């Protein structure tokens, strides 16, 4: 007797990290073929042609609450480490859409937040007098990072026939990134000599771009429906980057330096590739 087995994978058709509508959450993201709610603006605008009346959809996937600290480096032996902790409350990506049907044409406008993250890390390391050769060694740092991504735009769905619907969305992409890092070092020895240094770095970046979403829904047999979506590459059209770097040193003779830079550019750069669902 011969026995064979095969382990395959099943895909629901969702390539996003989070579901951006109630329909998508209940159907594991497999709504390209039958999306009818406000999420159709994002997942398949062809579904807008099947709406009735005026509709407002708000989707909040949930909240992330984290107690305590984050990943950190290992301190040297003999060090007194103080990791400052806090409470982080973040809203997981959300969506807000309004849709209206005009006969065989459906119109929608949506605001989507598929990515949002905030990270904070603070630590202070202090070596005792023996480990520091009879003096004091203290190092501390504070880092902060916030990233947000928005997609905003209109969509249209059109009923070609009782079995075929087509649609398209035009979404403006807005991305913002803020990163800050502060470090400080104090060192003193038993004979009274000391040195200290502090550094502050800031990066503030804003990007704007656009992408198209083109979709179709086709009921080719009773109880059978096919949906296809083409997402063009998301293209960055504008970017503004500001940086600031400040250093302060004290070795008996105070020294400080600061550099600031701002770069704005209108350019065409692909942020995400072509996708087909």
């Amino acid at each position: 007797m011969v026995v064979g087995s095969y382990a395959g994978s099943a895909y629901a058709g969702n390539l996003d990290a989070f579901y951006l509508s109630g329909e998508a959450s209940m159907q594991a993201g497999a709504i390209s073929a039958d999306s009818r709610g406000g999420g159709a603006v994002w997942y398949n605008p062809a579904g807008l042609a099947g709406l009735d009346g005026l509709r407002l959809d708000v989707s909040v996937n949930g909240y992330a609450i984290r107690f305590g600290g984050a990943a950190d480096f290992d301190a040297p032996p003999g060090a007194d480490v103080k990791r400052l902790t806090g409470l982080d409350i973040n809203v997981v990506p959300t969506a807000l859409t309004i849709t209206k049907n005009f006969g065989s044409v459906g119109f929608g406008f949506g605001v989507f937040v598929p990515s949002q993250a905030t990270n904070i890390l603070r630590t202070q390391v202090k070596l005792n007098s023996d480990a520091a050769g009879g003096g004091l060694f203290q190092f501390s740092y504070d880092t902060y990072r916030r990233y947000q991504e928005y997609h905003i735009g209109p969509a249209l769905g059109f009923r070609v026939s009782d079995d075929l619907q087509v649609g398209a969305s035009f979404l403006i992409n807005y991305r913002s990134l803020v990163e800050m890092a502060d470090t400080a070092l104090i060192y003193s020895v038993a004979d009274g000599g000391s040195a200290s240094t502090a550094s502050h770095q800031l990066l503030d970046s804003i990007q704007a771009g656009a992408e198209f979403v083109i979709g179709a829904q086709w009921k080719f047999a009773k109880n059978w429906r096919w949906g296809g979506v083409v997402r063009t590459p998301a293209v960055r059209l504008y970017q503004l980057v500001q940086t600031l770097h400040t250093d302060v040193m004290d070795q008996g003779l105070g020294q400080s330096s600061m550099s600031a830079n701002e770069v704005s550019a209108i350019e065409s750069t692909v942020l995400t590739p072509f996708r087909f669902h």
Side-chain angles (χ1 to χ4, degrees):
M1 180 177 65
V2 178
V3 178
S5 64
Y6 170 73
S9 299
Y11 296 92
N14 181 66
L15 299 182
D16 300 303
F18 299 94
Y19 300 126
L20 298 177
S21 74
E23 281 185 307
S25 299
M26 292 185 291
Q27 298 179 215
I31 64 171
S32 294
D34 61 355
S35 58
R36 289 290 184 273
V41 176
W42 178 267
Y43 289 103
N44 191 343
L48 295 174
L51 295 174
D52 294 323
L54 179 66
R55 176 169 175 167
L56 177 67
D57 289 285
V58 180
S59 175
V60 179
N61 287 328
Y63 294 86
I65 302 177
R66 184 179 64 187
F67 296 88
D72 213 337
F73 63 82
D74 293 330
D80 178 19
V81 179
K82 179 185 295 185
R83 291 180 172 87
L84 304 182
T85 61
L87 172 63
D88 296 333
I89 302 178
N90 296 318
V91 179
V92 186
T94 63
L96 171 65
T97 59
I98 183 170
T99 56
K100 182 71 170 68
N101 181 265
F102 301 92
S104 61
V105 178
F107 171 80
F109 186 88
V111 179
F112 302 93
V113 188
S115 299
Q116 178 175 287
T118 301
N119 304 102
I120 301 175
L121 184 61
R122 298 186 177 107
T123 297
Q124 183 183 76
V125 180
K126 185 177 181 180
L127 287 178
N128 57 40
S129 59
D130 293 334
L136 171 68
F137 178 88
Q138 183 173 307
F139 173 74
S140 61
Y141 68 91
D142 185 341
T143 62
Y144 172 84
R145 184 181 189 273
R146 185 186 74 236
Y147 175 79
Q148 293 177 307
E149 180 181 346
Y150 298 89
H151 296 250
I152 306 172
L156 283 175
F158 179 70
R159 185 181 295 277
V160 180
S161 66
D162 292 339
D163 299 326
L164 179 63
Q165 300 174 180
V166 296
S169 301
F170 175 70
L171 300 176
I172 298 296
N173 303 337
Y174 177 85
R175 305 178 183 213
S176 64
L177 172 64
V178 176
E179 292 183 338
M180 290 187 292
D182 290 277
T183 60
L185 173 65
I186 300 175
Y187 179 72
S188 63
V189 293
D191 61 5
S194 65
S196 63
T197 179
S199 175
H200 173 75
Q201 299 184 58
L202 169 67
L203 169 67
D204 191 348
S205 172
I206 296 175
Q207 299 178 356
E211 67 178 320
F212 283 97
V213 182
I214 303 170
Q217 293 180 350
W218 175 37
K219 185 178 180 181
F220 60 90
K222 184 179 180 179
N223 299 326
W224 287 89
R225 188 184 298 270
W226 174 88
V229 181
V230 173
R231 307 186 79 93
T232 65
V235 179
R236 183 179 67 201
L237 303 176
Y238 174 77
Q239 178 176 228
L240 173 63
V241 179
Q242 296 176 312
T243 60
L244 175 66
H245 188 181
T246 304
D247 289 312
V248 178
M249 294 179 291
D250 183 7
Q251 294 178 315
L253 299 174
Q255 297 180 352
S256 64
S257 63
M258 183 181 71
S259 63
N261 188 34
E262 178 177 315
V263 177
S264 62
I266 299 177
E267 58 182 358
S268 178
T269 303
V270 175
L271 299 176
T272 59
F274 170 92
R275 294 188 292 171
F276 176 78
H277 299 193

